[in-house]
Amino acid sequence: MVVDLENFQNITVKANGVATVGAGVRLGNLALGLYSQGQRALPHGTCPGVGIGGHFTHGGYGYDSRKWGLALDTIIALDVVTANGSIIHATSATYPKLYYALRGAAESFGIVTHFYLQTQPAPTNLVYWHYGFPNMYTSSATMTNTFLHWQQFALNPAFVDQNIGFGVHMDGNDFSISGIYFGDINNFTSVIAPELLNGIPAPSYQQVQTVDWITALEYQATGGSATTLSEPLQGYDAHDDFFAKSLVAPESAPLTSAALTNYFNYIIANGVNAPNPWFSIINLYGGASSAINTKPASFSSYADRSSLWVFQHYGYTGNTGSAFPSQIQPFITGLNDAITSAQPQTNFTAYLNYVDPSLTAAQAHTLYYGSAVYNQLLTIKNLWDPNKVFWNPQAIGA
């Protein structure tokens, strides 16, 4: 059974900055609705059509998350319909165990109808930046050295604090890095950018601009072009046939030269002329003073509070009317394996918002939550949903 929350489209912001948001709202409409009510903002992802429900209850990363935390971290309360049909207002003070479980594993515990979110004042201006690099797919050594430099840069508090967020994009043709900076463009161009680009190939194109908050979100959605964040309130019909995997690299074990070399060799051999489109996005979660990693483990059931990088590996058809090609899944799986096989000493995990249907329930529970968090969730599941009304193949208790 699928429950359609499309009609839950309300967005209201109180004087204290707390927004009440219906569970059917999409991220683009959320950003516009908050900004129109006192120029408020939240950390969240870059795709305007993504719905708030799973995005906020499983993490929710944006380039602003290193400053403001994950989308999940902004939740101060939720209205939820539980397995016995009760409507509960869950907070840290009322129903604290359910509140803990909903922020990380909501789909196993109920249907969230409204979110109560602590917003931030939107910045008047910030810097959007984007650099692209030519001919990178001819040398794994060049790709490895470039990424190792960016990793060293990310861990250097002399250049990176919570005011900067960024990610790397690859698809067998494009090799680029982009992000935002909550600061002055002169400081970015004179201090931060020279170190970011130091010792690596010169970019073939660049875009560095001071922009307002809404324009920054538009540029993040498109890679640097103006667009609209608005999405239809009814009849949204954008779909994709895809297979995705994720990989979370811990800050305690940064990516090694061997792992990156193996990864980029795999991409050069298999991804440059891949039969189907794909992309990899590698987002910086950790690094100096990241707000993502400041929350204690007890804060929520979102388990990754010590990550450095989060990879999204995504293969798709571009045509929802065709049969799904059999070669996509092994190629995407190979991207993950190229890293983990060359760095076996590291405990890599996974990110639930890039759901991986190839995992067994036991694998998903371990990778998404770890044993300690999962055992807590299982205890709460038995209290609130002992008959497993809310079930999927990787649900808590599956």
Side-chain angles (χ1 to χ4, degrees), residues 76-80 82 84 86-103 380 384:
I76 63 170
L78 311 94
D79 292 338
V80 58
T82 61
N84 67 3
S86 299
I87 301 174
I88 299 295
H89 184 73
T91 72
S92 60
T94 61
Y95 307 102
K97 291 183 179 180
L98 182 61
Y99 176 67
Y100 166 87
L102 292 171
R103 293 172 303 124
I380 301 168
W384 283 96

Side-chain angles (χ1 to χ4, degrees), residues 63 128-137 143 146-147 150 165-179 196-197 200-207 219-220 222-224 264 278-284 309:
Y63 287 158
Y128 171 82
W129 54 273
H130 188 167
Y131 298 95
F133 299 86
N135 305 318
M136 294 295 283
Y137 293 93
M143 298 172 82
T146 298
F147 197 93
W150 287 339
F166 61 84
V168 178
H169 177 271
M170 296 176 290
D171 61 10
N173 179 40
D174 177 72
F175 186 98
S176 61
I177 185 170
S178 61
L196 175 77
L197 302 175
I200 65 174
S204 58
Y205 67 89
Q206 63 183 53
Q207 182 179 2
Y219 283 9
Q220 290 170 67
T222 62
F264 292 128
W278 66 276
F279 62 78
S280 295
I281 297 174
I282 311 171
N283 285 319
L284 177 66
W309 303 104

Side-chain angles (χ1 to χ4, degrees), residues 245-288:
K245 292 184 79 71
S246 64
L247 195 67
V248 177
E251 194 159 32
S252 61
L255 295 168
T256 65
S257 178
L260 289 168
T261 298
N262 203 44
Y263 180 64
F264 292 128
N265 276 332
Y266 179 86
I267 289 174
I268 291 171
N270 300 282
V272 173
N273 296 305
N276 298 99
W278 66 276
F279 62 78
S280 295
I281 297 174
I282 311 171
N283 285 319
L284 177 66
Y285 275 50

Side-chain angles (χ1 to χ4, degrees), residues 170-235:
M170 296 176 290
D171 61 10
N173 179 40
D174 177 72
F175 186 98
S176 61
I177 185 170
S178 61
I180 59 173
Y181 174 57
F182 289 83
D184 179 71
I185 193 169
N186 292 324
N187 187 65
F188 181 83
T189 57
S190 65
V191 177
I192 297 172
E195 181 60 24
L196 175 77
L197 302 175
N198 184 30
I200 65 174
S204 58
Y205 67 89
Q206 63 183 53
Q207 182 179 2
V208 181
Q209 290 180 246
T210 297
V211 294
D212 61 44
W213 176 245
I214 295 299
T215 302
L217 294 177
E218 293 176 353
Y219 283 9
Q220 290 170 67
T222 62
S225 302
T227 186
T228 177
L229 298 178
S230 179
E231 297 289 349
L233 301 181
Q234 304 287 329

Side-chain angles (χ1 to χ4, degrees), residues 311-329:
F311 290 67
Q312 180 187 16
H313 293 138
Y314 189 104
Y316 59 104
T317 66
N319 180 355
T320 57
S322 63
F324 194 74
S326 60
Q327 63 266 33
I328 289 181
Q329 183 170 331

Side-chain angles (χ1 to χ4, degrees), residues 245-249 255 309-313 335-337 339-340 348-351 354:
K245 292 184 79 71
S246 64
L247 195 67
V248 177
L255 295 168
W309 303 104
V310 175
F311 290 67
Q312 180 187 16
H313 293 138
L335 288 167
N336 269 39
D337 291 346
I339 292 281
T340 59
F348 292 99
T349 57
Y351 177 42
Y354 304 148

